[in-house]
Amino acid sequence: MSRVDSNNERLMILSDVTKVYPMGDTQVEALRGVNLQIKSREFIAVLGPSGSGKSTIMHILGCLDTPTSGTYHLDGAAIQGLNPNELAEIRNRKIGFVFQSFHLLPRATACENVELPMVFAGINATDRKACAERVLDQVGLKERTRHLPNELSGGERQRVAIARALVNRPSILLADEPTGNLDSRSGAEILALFEELHTEGRTVILVTHDEMIASRAQRVIRILDGRIGQGSSDNHGRKE
Amino acid sequence: MRLLPSLVLFVRDLRTQKVRTFFALLGITWGTAAVVLLLAFGEGLKRFQSRNLHGIGDGIVVAWPMRTSLPFEGLSKGRPIRLRAEDVLTLASEIPELEAVSPEFSLWNQPIVYGNRDYRTYVGGVYPSFADLRHIYPQAGGRFINEQDIEQRHRVIFIGDGVKEELFGDAEAVGETLFVQGTGFVVIGVLRPKLQSSTYGSGNADGRIAYIPASTMSSVFGQDYVNNFIYRAEDPQRQAFVTRRVYQVLSRICGFDPADTETLMLWDLSEMNKIIFYFFLGFNTLLGLCGVFTLMVGGIAVANIMYLLVGQKTSEIGIEMAVGAKRRHILAQFLLQALVLVAAGGMAGLLISWILTTIMGIVPLPEQIGVPVMSPLVCLVTVVLLGIVGLLAGYFPARRAASLDPVRALGFGGL
Ligand SMILES: Nc1ncnc2c1ncn2[C@@H]1O[C@H](COP(=O)(O)OP(=O)(O)OP(=O)(O)O)[C@@H](O)[C@H]1O
Ligand SMILES: [Mg+2]
């Protein structure tokens, strides 16, 4: 790390974060003390075996969930201790989240799905529609705005989900195995889209099982059994 | 601003629950109609009763002279009170707050003869002011007893429309001569038919009795003392004061203790009005409650659908939360949806009630039931009730939805 790194360049900081889920009588320790710093505009891949805690980390980073112990600072502000409404506000404006299984509203059209975050941001209907159509165009779905999710292919659905994640112009994009449910061709297209979004200046963090995909990120974080594992690498040098 | 998309999606959600939605709507419609119709019937009945009371006379007091119940200036108790017409008329001159007063002499069960027909009924001897006090108005071409009739002791008679019907049928009555105990009376007027109202003393409905001038009654039939008198205060609020003054004036004239309220038996119709008001307030509340229970069944059906939708849409609620929906967004969304369901059923119910009350207004019903009235108050009460039902039916499911945890709602870690 070079000396010029200033504090505000560290966009997300996890310190000694644990997450414990109660499971009947026992407890599942999903995260066992994670320390992680993510700078603005980084492109990060999170790798790890199933059950290692990748999704749990992403949910905490995305303010969908809170740590059992430890602290999380986003953009210089402490996240732990915020109430559900404040977390909702952050999810709405600062973070776009993309899921493995798309998570689109099944009875809403592509356009209506993309409008959803703007609905909760209090934007009026005409602006919403115009904005949603523009972002759908940007992800290459100009002709699909009125389709329902079940009328779209997997790759198209994930594009709708990405458009939805982008629509409130968040600086951070989190994607939990975005290509996991896609064939290799659509997966490659989605990956290219994320690379493009990164070049446009966004911080992108994506979870994957695929070493090939991981190799295209600037930095790889390996999770093993709830901890940041050995072999987490920095690809910066190699890429530049 | 953000209501429309959620409503559009709501309708799409309801399509997945057609049968339940239908029955919930039916329940609300049924409940609304029950509330409206029961209240409308209550209102109609109330109106009928107050109109009936109006037929007897608005805010009048009927007073019957009785006996003293207290000794007074050496006189023992139990003396009968006897009033002449002049005594009663003194009240009018001595009590300025008295709007009108009329003595009434009574003859019961008198055969009234016309040609070869006769009809037995009550004949009252009254003053002109009686007409206004008792809402007795003549049909066109006739008149009631006037001051001249009193002064000159005219032998004239005013008959109820029922009496006229019995004696004359369709023929003209005014100007004809009737006989009471052999004395001839010229008919001066026939009662304009009014809502049936059993009078206080005669035991006959207004349409079935006859009136002659009080002075004529005294001279022809030798009636010296009034059977009763009727009065009304100028200001209904001062009825009690006027009644106290009546006791004072009469006690001076007849010699009794002004505190001896047994001397007059009073029937205060303004009191009756109050009693009727409170009775119907209670009665209508009871009817309303019956309707409310029906409405509640509909409300429970709506709540049931909402719970079902919350369960069915858990992952969608999770999605909305993930993209930034706050608690209040989720809460408002489900509340609004429940209100929309209730409003739809309520509107149908109001429409059906309106159609039914309109039909019942046309079809003749037994008079005593009254005609159901969808008054603005009835509608307002119904709308308020519907609002409450909608809020309750929506609130609890909405609260459940809003308190979901986003990660769990999205289905991570198993539900
Ligand atoms: N809500 C929960 N309740 C109980 N245990 C949970 C819950 N969520 C996750 N876990 C457990 O925590 C551990 C980490 O889960 P997580 O979903 O983060 O793994 P992952 O790395 O994303 O796995 P995968 O690659 O299969 O998605 C797992 O053992 C999982 O069973
Ligand atoms: Mg996972």
Side-chain angles (χ1 to χ4, degrees):
Chain A
M1 295 282 133
S2 67
R3 285 242 189 99
V4 286
D5 275 359
S6 68
N7 251 348
N8 55 17
E9 227 184 311
R10 285 188 215 128
L11 184 63
M12 304 159 120
I13 305 169
L14 295 179
S15 310
D16 294 324
V17 164
T18 69
K19 183 72 190 182
V20 180
Y21 293 108
M23 273 291 270
D25 301 337
T26 61
Q27 293 189 321
V28 181
E29 287 184 78
L31 297 179
R32 309 164 186 252
V34 171
N35 288 291
L36 182 60
Q37 301 192 350
I38 294 163
K39 282 174 281 182
S40 193
R41 298 173 179 228
E42 269 195 291
F43 184 10
I44 293 175
V46 178
L47 269 175
S50 186
S52 57
K54 303 181 298 293
S55 293
T56 307
I57 284 197
M58 293 296 272
H59 293 154
I60 288 173
L61 287 174
C63 296
L64 275 165
D65 211 346
T66 47
T68 306
S69 72
T71 61
Y72 170 32
H73 286 83
L74 173 63
D75 235 354
I79 297 303
Q80 65 279 3
L82 294 187
N83 68 33
N85 277 345
E86 292 163 331
L87 293 175
E89 183 87 31
I90 292 175
R91 293 196 294 270
N92 189 239
R93 308 199 176 247
K94 289 198 169 178
I95 295 164
F97 212 112
V98 177
F99 301 93
Q100 175 175 3
S101 47
F102 322 128
H103 282 316
L104 300 175
L105 299 184
R107 281 176 296 280
T109 63
C111 191
E112 285 163 341
N113 267 290
V114 176
E115 283 183 48
L116 203 58
M118 292 188 279
V119 169
F120 303 121
I123 294 166
N124 73 52
T126 18
D127 292 353
R128 276 198 321 249
K129 192 148 187 296
C131 193
E133 280 174 352
R134 190 161 37 76
V135 180
L136 278 169
D137 186 17
Q138 195 184 329
V139 298
L141 289 178
K142 195 184 174 76
E143 310 299 322
R144 298 282 186 278
T145 57
R146 278 147 188 275
H147 288 235
L148 290 174
N150 63 12
E151 297 162 350
L152 297 171
S153 74
E156 285 168 335
R157 286 183 212 181
Q158 198 59 298
R159 283 163 191 274
V160 174
I162 292 169
R164 184 179 64 190
L166 290 175
V167 82
N168 274 352
R169 304 169 181 279
S171 59
I172 302 164
L173 265 184
L174 302 179
D176 190 354
E177 298 190 51
T179 60
N181 280 2
L182 302 177
D183 60 67
S184 53
R185 221 198 79 199
S186 333
E189 281 169 11
I190 293 296
L191 189 65
L193 189 52
F194 275 110
E195 284 183 316
E196 189 186 321
L197 294 168
H198 169 244
T199 11
E200 284 174 11
R202 292 181 186 80
T203 310
V204 177
I205 305 170
L206 58 84
V207 172
T208 180
H209 278 126
D210 189 337
E211 293 281 352
M212 271 296 292
I213 292 174
S215 68
R216 291 168 70 170
Q218 292 172 333
R219 179 146 76 108
V220 177
I221 293 168
R222 291 182 194 276
I223 311 284
L224 206 70
D225 210 9
R227 291 191 183 87
I228 306 274
Q230 299 294 312
S232 294
S233 70
D234 195 334
N235 296 343
H236 280 272
R238 203 191 67 194
K239 268 212 135 181
E240 276 146 13
Chain B
M1 47 153 196
R2 31 158 279 279
L3 304 182
L4 218 61
S6 85
L7 279 186
V8 173
L9 296 181
F10 176 54
V11 174
R12 293 181 208 161
D13 290 336
L14 285 182
R15 290 213 196 113
T16 65
Q17 296 294 339
K18 283 198 186 87
V19 177
R20 276 172 212 266
T21 306
F22 172 77
F23 278 107
L25 283 174
L26 190 72
I28 295 289
T29 305
W30 184 283
T32 307
V35 171
V36 175
L37 289 178
L38 285 171
L39 286 180
F41 260 110
E43 182 71 19
L45 203 60
K46 177 176 152 189
R47 288 197 183 179
F48 171 78
Q49 285 302 334
S50 29
R51 232 179 325 157
N52 194 2
L53 213 57
H54 177 80
I56 297 177
D58 277 327
I60 60 168
V61 179
V62 186
W64 286 269
M66 306 301 281
R67 287 166 183 276
T68 59
S69 68
L70 297 170
F72 181 72
E73 291 179 356
L75 299 167
S76 63
K77 61 177 184 180
R79 278 179 307 119
I81 304 295
R82 294 192 214 281
L83 296 175
R84 291 171 188 279
E86 307 86 77
D87 301 332
V88 173
L89 296 176
T90 313
L91 292 172
S93 54
E94 295 224 0
I95 309 172
E97 292 84 358
L98 199 67
E99 186 194 346
V101 62
S102 171
E104 181 170 2
F105 294 89
S106 305
L107 283 174
W108 282 272
N109 208 21
Q110 293 299 310
I112 302 177
V113 183
Y114 175 69
N116 56 4
R117 300 196 195 181
D118 74 335
Y119 183 70
R120 282 176 170 273
T121 189
Y122 170 94
V123 179
V126 298
Y127 272 69
S129 55
F130 190 84
D132 194 42
L133 284 164
R134 290 275 286 101
H135 295 306
I136 289 179
Y137 304 111
Q139 294 178 17
R143 62 172 179 88
F144 195 66
I145 295 154
N146 63 23
E147 293 295 340
Q148 267 187 339
D149 297 328
I150 298 288
E151 274 167 36
Q152 323 257 317
R153 296 164 197 254
H154 284 155
R155 295 189 180 180
V156 292
I157 191 163
F158 180 93
I159 56 175
D161 50 304
V163 177
K164 186 250 173 196
E165 191 68 38
E166 294 284 345
L167 295 179
F168 297 94
D170 287 336
E172 182 60 54
V174 175
E176 298 296 315
T177 302
L178 300 177
F179 289 90
V180 180
Q181 292 188 11
T183 307
F185 289 85
V186 175
V187 177
I188 51 168
V190 178
L191 177 72
R192 195 191 302 162
K194 64 184 204 175
L195 208 72
Q196 294 236 320
S197 59
S198 214
T199 57
Y200 38 88
S202 63
N204 294 58
D206 280 331
R208 309 211 152 261
I209 58 184
Y211 294 105
I212 62 175
S215 54
T216 314
M217 175 84 92
S218 301
S219 63
V220 174
F221 301 107
Q223 292 253 3
D224 290 330
Y225 300 111
V226 305
N227 180 70
N228 62 277
F229 59 95
I230 301 170
Y231 63 89
R232 180 168 60 203
E234 193 109 46
D235 174 2
Q237 304 297 319
R238 307 207 68 189
Q239 191 83 278
F241 169 78
V242 167
T243 297
R244 233 175 314 128
R245 291 285 296 134
V246 165
Y247 275 110
Q248 280 169 7
V249 173
L250 291 184
S251 71
R252 209 185 57 228
I253 295 169
C254 309
F256 62 81
D257 187 334
D260 188 357
T261 53
E262 301 278 299
T263 49
L264 295 175
M265 184 172 83
L266 299 180
W267 188 35
D268 186 340
L269 273 111
S270 59
E271 282 296 311
M272 274 304 280
N273 264 325
K274 273 185 223 157
I275 292 170
I276 295 247
F277 174 81
Y278 286 113
F279 172 77
F280 276 102
L281 191 66
F283 185 70
N284 286 349
T285 308
L286 199 73
L287 284 184
L289 275 180
C290 295
V292 166
F293 281 118
T294 327
L295 197 52
M296 263 164 55
V297 174
I300 289 168
V302 171
N304 183 32
I305 287 202
M306 296 314 294
Y307 270 123
L308 207 85
L309 284 181
V310 170
Q312 187 180 296
K313 300 205 330 171
T314 299
S315 74
E316 293 176 43
I317 296 163
I319 293 168
E320 296 192 350
M321 287 176 158
V323 302
K326 293 179 183 167
R327 260 185 74 94
R328 65 179 152 85
H329 290 128
I330 306 290
L331 209 61
Q333 185 178 328
F334 282 93
L335 260 186
L336 187 81
Q337 292 172 355
L339 280 173
V340 164
L341 259 186
V342 169
M347 241 129 72
L350 280 170
L351 187 72
I352 288 173
S353 316
W354 180 75
I355 292 171
L356 286 179
T357 47
T358 308
I359 291 174
M360 280 186 274
I362 298 165
V363 176
L365 289 170
E367 198 176 29
Q368 285 72 15
I369 295 174
V371 180
V373 192
M374 255 176 89
S375 68
L377 182 71
V378 168
C379 295
L380 184 76
V381 167
T382 312
V383 169
V384 168
L385 284 175
L386 281 169
I388 292 173
V389 167
L391 284 177
L392 285 180
Y395 177 71
F396 295 99
R399 198 181 56 172
R400 175 182 290 184
S403 61
L404 287 171
D405 172 65
V407 176
R408 293 192 137 254
L410 282 169
F412 286 95
L415 271 174

